[in-house]
């Protein structure tokens, strides 16, 4: 077993959470048992995840999308009350890392997607938020037709991707990766300036669909959840190896 505080201090330093101004608290969100032997991971909180984590005997839950967000109501009732009840009754530690787990160059969501997409020579210098680069850009060793690139990535994430925008005239080679809500107009402009042909992301804004065509870009849209389910797995596996813990990866599929 490992002390909760040891794991939290390690994660904060590893992910550099103090560098990020985020829409949620990063790190511990609900305190549970002081000793941890089993970690359960999932991209997002839900009762389904909490119940499966209890069945697996986990003491710590590691997620990307946590329970608390700035601007939410502070009234504990309904769905929030039910979620907190199971966490408190079973003394579960809920730990969430949002932007820090997007940005990490080895364990982050974008690093994981870049590997799944087959990108090399990756640079984490795109998708800036408050001075921190969240996304990355890289190249394919062998250029691919767009259809082959999309099919390969869809197979890797085990879900079909959507293609929006204007397909390139030639094969795909220069790709940007910004998970989650990466298809904003501002980020599309940044991607175009970087000379990328394709953006791999979770979702795009309504107004971005026309901009993709006008900028000559393609967005490969995976769904927000599918684009951000790999970072917690990589992070959980890292903790298990580093501290000799058990890790259980829970997938609660979400089509959005």
């Amino acid at each position: 077993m490992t002390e909760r505080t040891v794991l939290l201090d390690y994660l904060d330093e590893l992910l550099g959470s103090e560098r990020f101004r985020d829409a949620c608290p990063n790190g511990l969100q609900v305190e549970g048992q002081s000793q941890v032997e089993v970690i359960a991971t999932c991209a997002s909180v839900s009762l389904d995840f909490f119940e499966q984590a209890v069945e697996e005997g986990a003491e710590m839950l590691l997620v990307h999308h946590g329970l608390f967000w700035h601007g939410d109501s502070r009234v504990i009732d309904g769905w929030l009350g039910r979620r907190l009840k199971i966490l408190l009754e079973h003394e579960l530690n809920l730990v969430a890392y949002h932007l820090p787990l997007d940005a990490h160059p080895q364990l982050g969501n974008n690093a994981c997607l870049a590997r799944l997409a087959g990108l090399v020579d990756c640079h984490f210098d795109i998708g800036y938020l408050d001075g921190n680069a969240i996304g990355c850009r890289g190249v394919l060793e062998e250029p691919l037709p767009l259809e082959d690139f999309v099919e390969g990535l869809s197979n890797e994430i085990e879900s079909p991707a959507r293609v929006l925008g204007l397909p390139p005239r030639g094969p795909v080679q220069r790709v940007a990766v910004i998970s989650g809500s990466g298809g904003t107009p501002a980020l599309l402009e940044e991607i175009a300036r970087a000379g990328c042909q394709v953006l791999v992301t979770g979702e795009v804004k309504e107004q971005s669909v026309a901009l993709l065509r006008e900028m000559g870009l393609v967005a490969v849209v995976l769904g927000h959840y599918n684009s951000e389910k790999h970072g917690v797995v990589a992070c959980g596996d890292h903790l298990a190896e580093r501290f000799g813990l058990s890790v259980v990866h829970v997938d609660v599929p979400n089509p959005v």
Side-chain angles (χ1 to χ4, degrees), residues 60-181:
M60 178 175 283
L61 315 185
L62 178 63
V63 300
H64 180 55
H65 300 125
L67 196 57
F68 304 112
W69 298 88
H70 299 336
D72 283 356
S73 171
R74 296 185 180 184
V75 176
I76 299 174
D77 62 0
W79 62 268
L80 180 57
R82 290 189 291 273
R83 289 178 173 184
L84 282 172
K85 184 173 185 288
I86 191 171
L87 292 173
L88 296 174
E89 280 186 349
H90 295 276
E91 296 185 272
L92 300 174
N93 294 286
L94 178 63
V95 179
Y97 288 94
H98 186 229
L99 293 181
L101 194 52
D102 286 325
H104 194 275
Q106 285 83 41
L107 305 176
N109 289 312
N110 292 304
C112 292
L113 281 182
R115 287 193 293 271
L116 292 174
L119 301 185
V120 297
D121 193 24
C122 289
H123 300 271
F124 288 80
D125 60 359
I126 203 164
Y128 277 89
L129 294 174
D130 293 323
N132 292 298
I134 304 300
C136 67
R137 58 187 175 90
V139 297
L140 296 170
E141 282 191 296
E142 296 292 336
L144 288 175
L146 178 63
E147 296 80 6
D148 292 351
F149 175 75
V150 173
E151 181 181 2
L153 186 53
S154 296
N155 290 337
E156 289 288 349
I157 68 167
E158 300 179 339
S159 181
R162 289 190 301 148
V163 178
L164 301 173
L166 187 65
R169 294 181 179 178
V172 170
Q173 187 164 32
R174 302 181 305 280
V175 180
V177 180
I178 306 177
S179 66
S181 303

